Amino acid sequence: MALNTQIAFGLRSLAVATTALAAVAFAQPAAAEDAPVKVTFIQHCCSGATFFQPMQFGAELAAKTFNVKLTYVNADGDAARHANLIETAIADKQDAVIPTITVPDALNAAVKKARDAGLVVIAENIDHPDGGKGNAREAFVGQDFITSGKMIGDRMIKTHNLTEKDFCLLPVEFPELTYAVRRAAGVQLALKTKNIGSEMIGTGTVDAEALSTISQAILANPKITCIIGLGTTPTTVAPDAAAEAGRPGIPNGGFDTNPKIMKNIMEGKTTATMDQQPFWQGYLPVMFAAFEVRYGLHPADFDTGNNLIDKANGQKALQYGGTFR
Amino acid sequence: MTSENDLALAAGPPSAADRYRRASRWARVRMHPAGPVGIMFSGLLLGCIVMALLFPSDFVFLASANLKLILRTVPNYGMIALGVGILLVAGEYDLSVGAVYVVTPFAMATAYTQGWPLPLAIALAFAIAAGIGLLNGLITLGFGIPSFITTLGMLFIVRTSAPFIVGYARSVNFTSPPWLKDTLTGSLGPVPMPFVWFLVLALVAYAFLNRHRTGNHVFAVGGDPKAARFAGINVFRTKLVAFMLCSVFATIAGIFSVVRLNTAMTNPQLFIELFAIAICVIGGLSLSGGRGSVAGIVLGACVLQLVQDVIILSRLPGFYLDMFVGIMIVLGVVINQVVRRKF
Amino acid sequence: MSTPAGPTNAELAALRRPAAGNPTWRAVRNYQAINIVVLVTLFLGFCTGYSLLYPDQLRFASLGNLSVLSQQVPVTAIVAIGVGLLMIGGEFDIAVAGTFTLVPFVVAITSAGSWGWPIGVSLLAGLAVALLIGLMNGMITTRLGIPSFIATLGTMFFMRGVIRFVSLNPTTKQPDNIAFFPGDALKALLGGQIIGPIYAQMLWLIGVALIGYALLNRHRFGNHLLLTGGNRDAAVAVGVPVRNVKVTAFMLCAVTAGFAGILQGVRINQVEPSFATISGLELKAIAAVVVGGTSLFGGRGAILGIILGAVLIETVDNILVLISAPETIFKGFLGATTILAVILNTVIGRRARR
């Protein structure tokens, strides 16, 4: 059954991608003649965080391509502010709003209100746990945190032959945030199949401090034989932390890409990273919204996130880091 | 002790100098601004060593990797705290250091990757830092508004400036030349270079505060600005220098971090500014200015890092690290008060 | 301590305002609040006027947008009133974001699931937690004699750990959001639409503001607070129980922060462990308070100014969204607004005093 769902999902994604490509190829000149479509795009947190750079780049590229007037705002990790921004978009007579369903029940009312007011609503980055059944959004473009967590867990187990004697450190910036909780659940799902123990540790966002915290944790617990960073900061510093703790060989992997993570992967210091391809999470929702508003084309869910990057396929990610990757 | 106190009370409140002259050596240690934190640090260190000898396999405090790690980590917040401390002695706050620490090295790395010669790129970072410090000072002193507010505003302004200027949040690989990497992050014998540089910077700060005329003025304007003005000290200029030094120290810390990690990012590094102030207060600096010592700041940084190390090494749940750090901050300041009051 | 009578209001007022009878001094005091009133009126007037003239360019004065503001501004303003009262008493609370999160968490947990307490009892439990947090902050600051900036910085980190603990989901052993559906009656009471763009939150803000005003300007506590913050030695000299006054202010601050957290939780039907961690509620509240003309060093401030400070900060943010300002500029604008407003307050205040 799970396989069926996955295949269905894959087919649907493929169909969407084809539509998108066709749209890019043919629809562009017509679009430019219409009045611009007004879209509010809500990044759910962390102004200045490099993770969101390709997302914003993608959203702006799509806006330019499809004649969209884009309002790109940040909810500062605050669900109430997120709801406010959706309602402001309604009041501002936007044609579409693109939120992140960070906190399941918090945005239901606002999203419903937006739909009732005739706005196109496409979620990006984080979805309601029950998907379209739990929330009135029309489609979701993003990564399934639990699936991707399981994928990186499985990959670490496979590459490094981890067994029940091993123990994984799961460092993350803020252990209580949604992405951390769900990714940890996914990773632990994989680890459980081999009875591998794990432990979370909070690192904060200061790179140098995160580095030290992880090294100290490794020193304190010789049982640790593997590190899976659940966010950008710990994934970035994990190999350096292992080296400073005097155990440079500890297998490590994690989530997200940035120039440093990609460099580590290409140099073989990091095994792999889960790339959720934030570019698509910015580009596709804006494009979907533009096409639904103009031509009534209905959007569909699109999984951007099961792209495991390792040395074999990392060259492009390194090359286009900062724009498309 | 009591009888002496009683006598002193009977004769009216003695002056600070009187009390100092009459005090025993032990009391003098406690009266020094860095006394309490020194006692705290020694106690903590002694405790760690004893525990490490008793449980060598469970509490690996004395492992050379751990000691090196501590020495590598202390300078990170420590260097920022040196600048924040000098400014605190002058009676002013700087919350914008958290953003300066990120933005100036980012400017350096960006300029360098675009082909600027390294010295010029570093000069750029320091020029921006000095400019921010100058602006902090001019707004605070020129309009007479609290520096807490000026620098709170600047924290947000500076933090958003880099992503705003380059268009997006960015991350730049910074592959520094080997000589720079070795000089800044290598080791001198067994001692990691960051710690060596931290001590050098601390000496510079000490020389400035305690051996230079402007440094004396810093104490004076922080302790009693009116009296300082009467004594002919240029309060405006003295504080301005302190503001600029503060930003410059944050930039130095930021450059160390960027060289160590080979990457510069615009990611906001939250709570640095608050940690820097916490270190200073644990180190015996007064939040209202005029009192403090460089030794206190150095020891304060060591204590905060030691405690964090102990928490992680003793396998207390890392999930709750924040909680222990919070308790530690309050406890550190309380010990300061108690030790100082007990004479 | 047996101070049955204590100083009279008149004595306190005389101490606080050395020239109470002097009309110029009174005018300046009034002028203090008027700075921010003028500023906010001009700003709101301009935005409203512009949006009425060109409704297609700026939809500020539309029903929907005003509804958003009338639900958000009260939350910020209520937190700011507590922080402001405390600041008037000469102390800071950096830990308000923790209180803002923990209190609704307690209410949500105890009123649902296996606990299943009646909502009234849960609310009382929330109140008790808030009072406890305030007491803790107050006691650490006053009894141990350490700066409140540091004391509450410590309790901020401490509470983050507590929140992680109470938010642990029993099945996944991970911190988790908790749904908060306290029933239609409470929802209507705390967040219902009254009429047009007026929501219940506005009425609660008015209520809290009136209580704050009464405490600050019509009750002996306010005199004690102003004197404690303005001139601690004089306050001690005339027998004001300085420590108790400060502890009370800490507790008031925690209660308002907790109440605002409950308002927010009821509105979005959920409480999350990271409620206000990243958005930096504590700094936003301090900014609102000082923008509103409150002295950072204590002893001066007005409830109306604090509320208008919150209004200004939230409205500037709202306008930036409406004009599609670049995302990177928002926080910088908050910083610039704070600095400029305080400069304006200070400079005009100083001119007037001359």
Side-chain angles (χ1 to χ4, degrees):
Chain A
M1 191 207 127
L3 191 67
N4 267 342
T5 328
Q6 271 195 356
I7 291 173
F9 200 76
L11 282 177
R12 222 167 346 136
S13 303
L14 196 69
V16 169
T18 323
T19 326
L21 282 175
V24 176
F26 304 113
Q28 205 176 328
E33 288 161 15
D34 297 335
V37 173
K38 287 171 290 175
V39 175
T40 295
F41 193 108
I42 307 173
Q43 176 180 321
H44 75 86
C45 83
C46 319
S47 187
T50 49
F51 167 81
F52 295 98
Q53 176 190 347
M55 185 189 274
Q56 192 180 350
F57 177 80
E60 288 178 359
L61 185 63
K64 215 187 290 167
T65 313
F66 304 113
N67 190 19
V68 167
K69 184 173 180 292
L70 184 71
T71 302
Y72 193 96
V73 288
N74 196 311
D76 291 334
D78 178 349
R81 182 176 162 79
H82 212 126
N84 288 338
L85 289 170
I86 295 174
E87 294 196 12
T88 308
I90 304 170
D92 201 16
K93 297 217 167 29
Q94 299 283 299
D95 298 312
V97 61
I98 302 175
T100 308
I101 318 293
T102 40
V103 183
D105 292 319
L107 302 180
N108 282 351
V111 168
K112 175 116 193 345
K113 205 165 159 189
R115 290 297 304 280
D116 291 346
L119 275 76
V120 171
V121 182
I122 297 162
E124 110 297 315
N125 193 245
I126 302 174
D127 197 9
H128 193 281
D130 302 329
K133 284 187 210 101
N135 187 284
R137 95 279 184 295
E138 284 162 78
F140 168 69
V141 178
Q143 177 187 45
D144 177 351
F145 284 139
I146 296 188
T147 311
S148 58
K150 186 162 180 322
M151 278 179 73
I152 185 73
D154 285 337
R155 174 59 191 264
M156 295 302 287
I157 293 172
K158 200 174 130 208
T159 307
H160 301 287
N161 290 320
L162 303 181
T163 63
E164 77 258 6
K165 279 185 211 129
D166 288 293
F167 190 88
C168 281
L169 183 70
L170 309 180
V172 64
E173 294 95 339
F174 301 104
E176 69 269 32
L177 296 200
T178 313
Y179 74 92
V181 172
R182 294 205 214 154
R183 283 174 179 172
V187 169
Q188 281 163 347
L189 220 56
L191 298 181
K192 220 175 270 166
T193 59
K194 300 275 177 195
N195 272 330
I196 303 167
S198 66
E199 173 184 73
M200 264 170 115
I201 188 165
T203 63
T205 60
V206 181
D207 303 305
E209 291 298 310
L211 203 167
S212 304
T213 306
I214 297 173
S215 340
Q216 278 163 344
I218 297 170
L219 278 172
N221 189 353
K223 247 174 44 189
I224 291 171
T225 51
C226 137
I227 309 168
I228 300 177
L230 301 180
T232 318
T233 305
T235 307
T236 311
V237 300
D240 291 343
E244 291 202 1
R247 292 171 58 199
I250 300 184
N252 66 83
F255 285 83
D256 302 341
T257 63
N258 64 32
K260 167 87 170 166
I261 294 175
M262 288 320 303
K263 196 157 167 275
N264 287 338
I265 287 184
M266 297 320 281
E267 287 171 1
K269 288 183 193 161
T270 296
T271 309
T273 184
M274 281 308 300
D275 175 20
Q276 51 171 305
Q277 312 198 94
F279 174 83
W280 282 134
Q281 298 178 13
Y283 189 91
L284 289 177
V286 173
M287 190 198 75
F288 284 163
F291 280 83
E292 176 162 12
V293 171
R294 280 215 184 87
Y295 311 115
L297 286 168
H298 192 70
D301 289 359
F302 191 95
D303 189 351
T304 64
N306 294 334
N307 189 29
L308 195 78
I309 299 186
D310 56 16
K311 208 170 175 174
N313 64 354
Q315 191 52 46
K316 285 255 164 74
L318 187 61
Q319 189 181 345
Y320 292 105
T323 51
F324 291 89
R325 304 305 292 269
Chain B
M1 189 177 93
T2 33
S3 62
E4 205 176 286
N5 261 357
D6 290 344
L7 274 177
L9 277 177
S15 73
D18 272 346
R19 270 183 306 175
Y20 191 76
R21 226 172 288 126
R22 233 179 282 161
S24 66
R25 188 175 298 161
W26 173 233
R28 280 183 194 188
V29 167
R30 291 193 314 208
M31 269 187 254
H32 188 272
V37 68
I39 296 169
M40 239 187 294
F41 175 72
S42 327
L44 205 55
L45 191 63
L46 198 70
C48 284
I49 293 173
V50 169
M51 288 302 283
L53 292 175
L54 287 177
F55 308 100
S57 58
D58 288 330
F59 190 74
V60 292
F61 181 77
L62 288 175
S64 78
N66 186 53
L67 294 176
K68 277 184 194 162
L69 191 67
I70 294 176
L71 295 182
R72 231 171 237 293
T73 311
V74 165
N76 190 37
Y77 284 163
M79 286 177 185
I80 304 175
L82 283 176
V84 170
I86 293 175
L87 188 57
L88 218 45
V89 172
E92 304 286 348
Y93 284 93
D94 190 351
L95 298 179
S96 68
V97 286
V100 172
Y101 170 89
V102 175
V103 166
T104 50
F106 178 78
M108 174 194 77
T110 309
Y112 180 65
T113 46
Q114 298 201 337
W116 289 39
L118 187 62
L120 215 57
I122 294 177
L124 174 73
F126 283 118
I128 297 174
I132 294 169
L134 193 66
L135 204 57
N136 278 336
L138 287 178
I139 295 175
T140 304
L141 305 168
F143 292 108
I145 69 176
S147 52
F148 186 89
I149 295 301
T150 315
T151 56
L152 172 63
M154 284 301 269
L155 171 69
F156 291 131
I157 296 173
V158 174
R159 187 177 278 168
T160 54
S161 63
F164 182 67
I165 290 167
V166 295
Y168 299 102
R170 282 220 194 272
S171 155
V172 181
N173 268 336
F174 178 72
T175 316
S176 49
W179 63 266
L180 183 71
K181 185 140 183 126
D182 288 346
T183 344
L184 295 192
T185 64
S187 359
L188 185 72
V191 185
M193 284 306 284
F195 194 75
V196 176
W197 283 111
F198 179 44
L199 293 183
V200 170
L201 285 174
L203 277 178
V204 171
Y206 175 80
F208 171 75
L209 269 184
N210 300 61
R211 293 280 176 271
H212 192 275
R213 211 164 46 122
T214 314
N216 283 329
H217 293 178
V218 167
F219 277 101
V221 300
D224 189 347
K226 268 187 202 142
R229 202 166 284 130
F230 277 130
I233 293 172
N234 188 335
V235 175
F236 193 90
R237 211 199 56 193
T238 309
K239 288 197 172 183
L240 214 52
V241 169
F243 270 110
M244 288 163 74
L245 275 178
C246 185
S247 292
V248 165
F249 273 91
T251 297
I252 297 175
I255 291 177
F256 270 88
S257 159
V258 163
V259 170
R260 183 181 177 203
L261 295 156
N262 299 316
T263 184
M265 300 194 224
T266 54
N267 286 2
Q269 316 259 303
L270 303 173
F271 302 120
I272 286 187
E273 56 285 347
L274 300 182
F275 271 116
I277 293 176
I279 285 175
C280 291
V281 179
I282 292 172
L285 275 76
S286 158
L287 273 185
S288 41
R291 182 190 160 91
S293 67
V294 172
I297 302 172
V298 173
L299 291 172
C302 292
V303 165
L304 193 68
Q305 192 50 46
L306 264 186
V307 169
Q308 198 159 325
D309 192 60
V310 168
I311 292 164
I312 300 178
L313 287 190
S314 52
R315 309 280 328 274
L316 288 165
F319 194 67
Y320 297 118
L321 190 56
D322 283 347
M323 193 153 92
F324 296 112
V325 169
I327 296 173
M328 159 60 209
I329 290 174
V330 172
L331 216 62
V333 183
V334 169
I335 292 174
N336 245 304
Q337 298 285 347
V338 172
V339 172
R340 196 175 299 148
R341 228 177 280 155
K342 270 235 169 125
F343 68 84
Chain C
M1 285 275 283
S2 59
T3 45
T8 66
N9 275 351
E11 281 168 6
L12 286 169
L15 268 167
R16 184 153 53 78
R17 288 175 275 182
N22 183 340
T24 331
W25 175 240
R26 216 179 297 146
V28 172
R29 262 185 62 82
N30 291 340
Y31 200 52
Q32 289 282 349
I34 264 178
N35 281 343
I36 182 77
V37 173
V38 170
L39 186 68
V40 171
T41 314
L42 283 177
F43 182 67
L44 289 183
F46 174 77
C47 295
T48 315
Y50 192 90
S51 71
L52 289 178
L53 282 175
Y54 306 100
D56 287 341
Q57 286 178 29
L58 185 73
R59 292 203 174 77
F60 173 74
S62 63
L63 180 71
N65 193 55
L66 294 179
S67 302
V68 174
L69 285 173
S70 102
Q71 292 175 79
Q72 179 56 41
V73 169
V75 171
T76 310
I78 289 173
V79 176
I81 287 174
V83 171
L85 282 175
L86 183 59
M87 200 184 285
I88 290 170
E91 302 291 345
F92 282 103
D93 187 351
I94 303 285
V96 282
T99 319
F100 183 85
T101 310
L102 188 57
V103 170
F105 237 108
V106 169
V107 177
I109 288 176
T110 53
S111 67
S114 55
W115 292 69
W117 291 3
I119 187 70
V121 180
S122 291
L123 286 172
L124 281 179
L127 178 69
V129 169
L131 289 172
L132 214 65
I133 294 170
L135 188 68
M136 172 175 77
N137 286 336
M139 287 310 228
I140 294 176
T141 302
T142 58
R143 302 287 147 169
L144 301 177
I146 72 180
S148 55
F149 185 75
I150 294 296
T152 55
L153 177 65
T155 52
M156 169 184 95
F157 283 111
F158 178 76
M159 278 206 278
R160 214 183 282 170
V162 176
I163 290 164
R164 272 178 207 167
F165 180 74
V166 298
S167 67
L168 282 185
N169 180 323
T171 45
T172 60
K173 303 274 182 267
Q174 303 284 358
D176 208 345
N177 307 305
I178 179 161
F180 186 37
F181 292 100
D184 291 341
L186 194 72
K187 176 118 184 157
L189 187 67
L190 294 181
Q193 187 177 10
I194 307 291
I195 179 168
I198 309 290
Y199 279 72
Q201 284 98 325
M202 284 294 255
L203 302 188
W204 284 105
L205 170 59
I206 294 172
V208 172
L210 286 178
I211 296 172
Y213 178 80
L215 274 177
L216 186 63
N217 303 69
R218 292 279 173 273
H219 191 270
R220 204 171 52 166
F221 172 76
N223 286 322
H224 286 186
L225 192 68
L226 284 158
L227 192 56
T228 301
N231 191 344
R232 195 180 183 283
D233 292 340
V236 173
V238 296
V240 171
V242 171
R243 285 177 171 183
N244 293 350
V245 167
K246 286 194 173 181
V247 172
T248 313
F250 270 108
M251 289 162 81
L252 280 174
C253 178
V255 169
T256 51
F259 178 63
I262 293 173
L263 283 182
Q264 198 80 304
V266 166
R267 179 180 164 210
I268 65 171
N269 295 320
Q270 195 135 31
V271 190
E272 43 174 347
S274 61
F275 230 21
T277 313
I278 297 179
S279 59
L281 183 67
E282 61 284 348
L283 297 182
K284 192 160 127 184
I286 290 177
V289 170
V290 293
V291 164
T294 312
S295 162
L296 196 67
F297 308 112
R300 205 183 71 218
I303 298 289
L304 181 64
I306 295 170
I307 295 173
L308 292 180
V311 169
L312 186 68
I313 280 179
E314 290 292 351
T315 318
V316 165
D317 189 87
N318 179 258
I319 294 288
L320 289 175
V321 177
L322 292 176
I323 64 169
S324 301
E327 182 267 328
T328 42
I329 214 173
F330 277 67
K331 277 286 165 67
F333 234 85
L334 169 65
T337 310
T338 311
I339 295 182
L340 285 177
V342 174
I343 288 178
L344 224 64
N345 272 333
T346 320
V347 173
I348 295 178
R350 209 174 291 146
R351 286 265 160 72
R353 232 168 287 149
R354 223 173 260 156

